[in-house]
Amino acid sequence: MSTRLADPGPALSIPALSIPALADATELSCDVLVVGGGTAGTMAALTAAERGANVLLLEKAHVRHSGALAMGMDGVNNAVVPGRAEPDDYVAEITRANDGLVDQSTVRQTATRGFAMVQRLESYGVKFEKDEHGEYAVRQVHRSGSYVLPMPEGKDVKKVLYRQLRRREMRERIRIENRVMPVRVLTHPDDGRAVGIAGFHTRTGEFVTVRAGAVILATGPCGRLGLPASGYLYGTYENPTNAGDGYAMAYHAGAALTGIECFQINPLIKDYNGPACAYVANPFGGYQVNRHGERFVESDYWSGQMMAEFATELASDRGPVYLKLSHLPEETIGAVESILHTTERPTRGTFHEGRGHDYRTHDIEMHISEIGLCGGHSASGVRVDAHARTTVPRLYAAGDLASVPHNYMIGAFVFGDLAGEDAARYRTYEGELPADQLAAAHELVYRPLRNPEGPPQPQVEYKLRRFVNDYVAPPKTGAKLSLAVEAFTRMSEEIAGMGARTAHELMRCAEVSFIRDCAEMAARASLARTESRWGLYHERLDHPERDDQGWLHHLDLRKSPSGAMEFTARPVEPYVVPVPEFAPPAGPERPLGEVALVPVATAGPRDGVPTARRTAAAPTPTTTTASPDPTGPAGAPDPRLSLLRLLALVEESPDLAALRPYLDDADPAVRAAAVTALGETAPAGAGPALAAHLADAAPRVRAAAAAALRELVEVLPADPPLAAGLREALGVPDPAVRAAALDVLRALRLGDPALYAASLADADVEVRIQAVRALVSVDAVEELAGAAADPAREVRVAVARGLAAVRAPAPKPLDPLLDDPDPLVRGAALAALAGTGCPPEYAAAAVAALADAAWQVRAGAATALRAAPPAPAVPALAGALGDANADVRKAAVLSLLAHGAEPAARAALARAADDPDADVRAYASRVPRGTP
């Protein structure tokens, strides 16, 4: 690889831009070029480098903070963990969620390789939630399959990945160029294979070309397609930097795209473009309701069909729609807040505070997002095979850009890994880069500089995306989609006339051209599929029925030799996992050509008479030199300059000795930043150093050390120095430190029953809860039972659950908790009987508890009867199906399913199929396979 790009220095020093000559382009070279430094791109670069390739990673922002993952992640939606879920069940689930239009070979890659990816990420330091015994705490959120794996430190995933990229052995293979934005993939004029890219530096404006043996596109979805209800261009549900760059580049390179008519539409918090995160709240007891408090969702998976149900309810007199949390106890709401207000959208808590809303008094009003294109959350993207190869040789796509339905974060990592593995076979392209393609890319980038007084990008983009909302967003019609195509065609000239003066404005102008390409693809593809499918994602009012006979086909889109968009109906590959609801027809591909527009110039024939209504059918780099120790005006060290030095040092992955002066700095701000850097770089000896700072005099330093230890718990050596430091921290006056120390001691198996039991006397409730979890991890039943009299309800609830989580659970230790005066504790103790076993004497108590005044106790009793003998359990559960509380009825149905071999249980479940609550009805229909 060749020339190093210039450092632009501070942004304010960049002079006015002039158009660089094409001949002055900065040329780089590599074996494998990765475009996009987010989830899939980072993994692709790491894998390709591990396979021996020289990798160039281009990112139009900065890899350290780029991509959707940099916003945080509160959990994995599709973790197929052995013993908790089966790959074939997951493949079938995704096939149903996508109405049968799935290449199962791609989905199965995520299903079979996802768990190994979870373990790989853990080896990097990514933390997934585990129970007290170190088993993955997978949750069931949808009604079938347990795939959701929470990530308590998910806000730091990108930091962990960046640390991997900066490891010394990776830096020898991976070159990162930040602030470089590709605009076109370059292809060989003879065989069409990818040979590089053309783009520009988003700070200096210099033209950049790259020759490569293979190109991996990992640029994310087209999240900036529809216009949010706020009207704010960047207030999108998806990361607003994702403007469809990869969709447009793949299309112009000749690759096939597929499913572009299948939009991404999500539920979100009203007036706040972030997810309501029902899948986080549901395991805690939250759920979606209409304004009457009624659950209404019938679908089993968060899909287009579920969004259609959501939209119908929202538009009815039963709206608005809410995520209900106000019924939950204080400690549960606190746990939900600790997740939702710190990961993925950290501003969520600030938003609610500004509205004067609190989960204890207000349920969360939900709405529907703008439309976007996204493979990871729906099905629209670049067509790829099971190795992430596109239809263009040596061009790959991974992550939300690739059409692997509902692939989410783990799927993005898996396909980044697959792309990096396959692309590593190729070496740098040595031939000439195509001059005509370079010239076209140069013109695309710099044309706004020729017209600096032209319409500004925000104005043009707003108009473009308003047309998307007006004519492309569901429900769709042929007439509206045709008007959309006309509008987008007309706007091509307006986009070409946009003005810019800076490199940043050039980037935004190029993004508008990508958005326009995606908008036209979405409109034309929606016109081509003359049926309705995927619920709200592709609802055609003029073709309202799903047509499996004619349209159980992928709809592929390509750029024809003449430059037009043309379509092909491609048969679904034979299923690897049979799904009885769908029988894809075999046969050849069906060329459809260009899609015909509906005449919309006039309302009916020009000279027709009124008719009756029809019925519905670069600058020089700045050289820096070492400066003496920074001092302030009075000769004292200036902490601001120390922080700047520390930030620069972190980029070099320093060892502990290099960080030591900052860790010992007199200023707490510097020490806190150094502790954070220690957590980011994780050099040898990081664990004991962090443990030592748990006793720091400054609260912010202690908090940073606790957070870093929890974040690094998967990669820290469980050695005696760390154990000693953590044990000492149990004596620190700060309760947050003591809780963190117990948490890490438990996770690393560095404690014993006596140590943990001593913390049951701690004055702080959270510390005592962590002590309970630690005792569960060492199966200390006697010590756990001793905490059943704890004065705090939260601790007694944790004890009840913990007694069911030990490796050899028994019901006897639950006795005092079953008679606890607090209904939440009694409910938790009863529910624990489902794990300990519920012999006849306890079954009798559970049956009696079905008459308790508190619904939480009745729900716990119904759960307990899941493990009871059928004779007392089934009749009592059948009676509980008449309970006034829907959650009690739901618990009864779930327990009846466990007794599905009993005719009386099946009869009760049949009656529950007509329950007024959607959840109860849905679960009642899931009689286990093989029952008579």
Side-chain angles (χ1 to χ4, degrees):
M1 292 181 282
S2 54
T3 312
R4 171 63 60 180
L5 290 174
D7 179 356
L12 292 178
S13 68
I14 298 176
L17 280 181
S18 58
I19 298 176
L22 181 56
D24 293 336
T26 298
E27 183 176 301
L28 309 173
S29 63
C30 60
D31 297 332
V32 175
L33 170 62
V34 180
V35 179
T39 310
T42 300
M43 188 58 66
L46 290 169
T47 297
E50 289 168 358
R51 297 294 176 121
N54 289 319
V55 180
L56 176 60
L57 176 57
L58 297 186
E59 168 57 54
K60 68 180 179 182
H62 193 293
V63 172
R64 186 173 184 173
H65 307 293
S66 63
L69 195 59
M71 302 170 76
M73 187 60 61
D74 45 35
V76 173
N77 291 4
N78 54 345
V80 183
V81 176
R84 299 300 304 272
E86 294 297 326
D88 285 1
D89 290 341
Y90 174 78
V91 172
E93 188 79 10
I94 298 301
T95 303
R96 294 187 185 98
N98 209 50
D99 280 359
L101 277 183
V102 168
D103 180 351
Q104 286 191 345
S105 67
T106 61
V107 175
R108 203 165 196 282
Q109 289 283 50
T110 298
T112 57
R113 298 168 67 108
F115 181 60
M117 182 56 66
V118 167
Q119 293 179 309
R120 179 175 176 179
L121 292 169
E122 270 190 327
S123 74
Y124 293 166
V126 176
K127 187 177 179 183
F128 299 94
E129 186 171 330
K130 295 182 179 178
D131 64 20
E132 292 81 359
H133 296 289
E135 302 294 332
Y136 294 99
V138 183
R139 308 278 176 83
Q140 180 169 350
V141 174
H142 308 296
R143 297 186 186 117
S144 60
S146 298
Y147 306 118
V148 173
L149 181 55
M151 299 171 66
E153 304 295 331
K155 64 185 183 299
D156 295 321
V157 178
K158 192 63 193 294
K159 182 169 70 176
V160 173
L161 291 173
Y162 188 66
R163 184 169 67 228
Q164 288 302 308
L165 287 172
R166 302 302 295 163
R167 283 168 42 217
R168 193 172 309 280
E169 57 269 35
M170 287 295 102
R171 282 187 289 170
E172 293 173 355
R173 286 284 185 183
I174 301 173
R175 173 177 175 176
I176 298 174
E177 286 293 351
N178 294 306
R179 314 294 178 189
V180 175
M181 180 183 185
V183 297
R184 288 292 185 263
V185 174
L186 303 175
T187 57
H188 196 283
D190 295 335
D191 57 18
R193 73 182 187 273
V195 295
I197 64 94
F200 68 105
H201 197 287
T202 62
R203 289 283 176 84
T204 66
E206 64 189 295
F207 195 57
V208 179
T209 64
V210 182
R211 60 178 68 247
V215 178
I216 300 173
L217 295 177
T219 56
C222 183
R224 223 161 81 217
L225 184 61
L227 191 66
S230 66
Y232 179 48
L233 293 180
Y234 308 111
T236 52
Y237 178 93
E238 283 287 352
N239 184 342
T241 64
N242 294 331
D245 309 32
Y247 286 78
M249 285 191 284
Y251 170 74
H252 288 291
L257 293 90
T258 193
I260 303 301
E261 70 280 17
C262 180
F263 297 161
Q264 175 190 14
I265 307 171
N266 295 287
L268 75 165
I269 299 172
K270 179 72 166 62
D271 298 329
Y272 173 82
N273 266 55
C277 287
Y279 59 87
V280 173
N282 284 5
F284 288 94
Y287 45 80
Q288 300 75 51
V289 296
N290 59 28
R291 71 181 177 89
H292 303 299
E294 301 162 339
R295 287 188 284 223
F296 59 89
V297 174
E298 302 281 354
S299 298
D300 276 343
Y301 199 87
W302 207 280
S303 60
Q305 181 55 42
M306 186 176 287
M307 286 307 306
E309 296 173 15
F310 192 100
T312 298
E313 201 76 7
L314 190 64
S316 74
D317 64 350
R318 300 178 297 278
V321 169
Y322 298 87
L323 175 62
K324 187 167 185 61
L325 297 174
S326 59
H327 65 295
L328 299 174
E330 168 60 33
E331 53 268 35
T332 304
I333 289 178
V336 171
E337 285 177 333
S338 71
I339 298 171
L340 295 187
H341 295 179
T342 59
T343 59
E344 191 154 335
R345 298 294 198 280
T347 56
R348 182 194 309 263
T350 305
F351 169 79
H352 290 313
E353 183 180 354
R355 290 289 174 98
H357 290 176
D358 187 295
Y359 295 163
R360 296 151 188 81
T361 57
H362 289 74
D363 294 321
I364 303 171
E365 185 181 354
M366 300 172 71
H367 214 260
I368 291 177
S369 74
E370 69 284 350
I371 68 170
L373 302 178
C374 180
H377 291 79
S378 62
S380 49
V382 179
R383 176 182 164 186
V384 295
D385 66 9
H387 298 279
R389 306 171 188 133
T390 73
T391 57
V392 170
R394 303 197 187 188
L395 180 64
Y396 299 79
D400 285 341
L401 171 66
S403 180
V404 185
H406 301 281
N407 216 23
Y408 304 113
M409 182 188 76
I410 287 298
F413 279 129
V414 166
F415 271 79
D417 178 49
L418 289 166
E421 178 182 342
D422 203 71
R425 299 178 293 154
Y426 301 111
R427 293 297 169 260
T428 308
Y429 172 67
E430 301 291 350
E432 289 295 318
L433 295 177
D436 57 337
Q437 296 176 40
L438 289 173
H442 188 273
E443 172 63 17
L444 172 65
V445 171
Y446 298 109
R447 64 189 179 190
L449 294 179
R450 297 196 187 94
N451 186 29
E453 302 301 326
Q457 164 263 332
Q459 174 182 310
V460 177
E461 183 176 334
Y462 182 92
K463 180 177 178 181
L464 170 66
R465 293 168 63 191
R466 195 203 72 208
F467 282 138
V468 171
N469 280 17
D470 289 346
Y471 298 134
V472 185
K476 310 172 187 178
T477 68
K480 288 201 299 182
L481 293 166
S482 298
L483 285 168
V485 171
E486 288 190 357
F488 303 147
T489 302
R490 185 174 63 247
M491 284 199 70
S492 294
E493 292 186 12
E494 192 170 339
I495 290 170
M498 284 186 298
R501 291 183 171 84
T502 69
H504 181 81
E505 290 174 346
L506 288 180
M507 176 180 70
R508 292 297 184 220
C509 288
E511 287 176 338
V512 175
S513 74
F514 298 151
I515 296 168
R516 196 220 70 86
D517 287 344
C518 290
E520 183 179 353
M521 286 190 272
R524 289 186 183 273
S526 296
L527 265 172
R529 183 175 287 278
T530 52
E531 63 156 359
S532 288
R533 189 174 290 272
W534 308 296
L536 189 64
Y537 296 168
H538 181 66
E539 180 187 0
R540 284 283 299 260
L541 295 179
D542 46 354
H543 296 282
E545 301 299 323
R546 195 177 83 187
D547 177 13
D548 281 354
Q549 187 62 36
W551 274 111
L552 192 53
H553 287 72
H554 299 285
L555 182 65
D556 289 357
L557 177 159
R558 285 185 178 86
K559 185 177 183 179
S560 73
S562 66
M565 291 184 187
E566 60 181 18
F567 294 89
T568 301
R570 174 170 52 92
V572 174
E573 290 293 321
Y575 287 160
V576 179
V577 179
V579 179
E581 299 95 310
F582 300 100
E589 294 188 355
R590 190 168 77 241
L592 303 176
E594 296 181 42
V595 66
L597 303 185
V598 174
V600 288
T602 63
R606 267 187 73 212
D607 41 359
V609 296
T611 59
R613 179 178 178 181
R614 292 187 295 175
T615 56
T620 303
T622 302
T623 302
T624 59
T625 57
S627 58
D629 289 340
T631 58
D638 187 341
R640 293 173 300 177
L641 295 180
S642 294
L643 288 171
L644 289 173
R645 283 188 164 187
L646 176 60
L647 290 174
L649 180 63
V650 169
E651 290 295 317
E652 302 303 319
S653 298
D655 58 18
L656 183 59
L659 289 171
R660 180 61 65 188
Y662 302 95
L663 291 167
D664 297 337
D665 196 277
D667 190 281
V670 176
R671 295 200 307 278
V675 165
T676 300
L678 197 59
E680 183 173 328
T681 56
L690 288 169
H693 279 78
L694 290 174
D696 194 280
R700 64 192 296 183
V701 180
R702 298 196 300 270
L709 281 165
R710 280 176 154 148
E711 176 194 336
L712 295 176
V713 73
E714 299 294 343
V715 296
L716 290 176
D719 52 25
L722 175 57
L726 292 170
R727 286 170 180 259
E728 288 181 16
L730 294 177
V732 172
D734 187 338
V737 167
R738 300 196 301 275
L742 280 170
D743 192 22
V744 178
L745 282 165
R746 174 192 57 79
L748 294 179
R749 301 292 188 265
L750 290 173
D752 55 68
L755 177 73
Y756 298 147
S759 291
L760 289 174
D762 197 282
D764 186 79
V765 170
E766 178 58 28
V767 175
R768 301 203 301 276
I769 290 174
Q770 289 296 339
V772 167
R773 294 197 69 207
L775 288 168
V776 173
S777 72
V778 292
D779 298 306
V781 174
E782 184 178 348
E783 289 84 352
L784 270 175
D790 192 280
R793 175 181 72 187
E794 304 96 307
V795 177
R796 302 199 303 279
V797 168
V799 171
R801 293 170 178 165
L803 287 169
V806 295
R807 295 194 186 279
K812 185 66 176 172
L814 288 167
D815 284 353
L817 297 166
L818 290 167
D819 294 326
D820 195 279
D822 191 289
L824 290 184
V825 178
R826 295 201 306 279
L830 283 162
L833 289 171
T836 65
C838 189
E841 62 271 27
Y842 290 91
V847 170
L850 287 172
D852 196 282
W855 72 266
Q856 295 94 335
V857 175
R858 301 198 305 275
T863 301
L865 292 172
R866 186 182 312 172
V874 173
L877 290 168
L881 293 177
D883 196 284
N885 185 279
D887 277 351
V888 177
R889 302 198 303 275
K890 177 180 173 180
V893 163
L894 291 171
S895 290
L896 283 167
L897 287 170
H899 295 288
E902 300 293 321
R906 296 198 301 277
L909 288 168
R911 293 194 301 274
D914 295 326
D915 192 277
D917 183 81
D919 264 14
V920 176
R921 290 195 303 271
Y923 280 113
S925 67
R926 307 188 77 82
V927 178
R929 297 176 189 171
T931 55

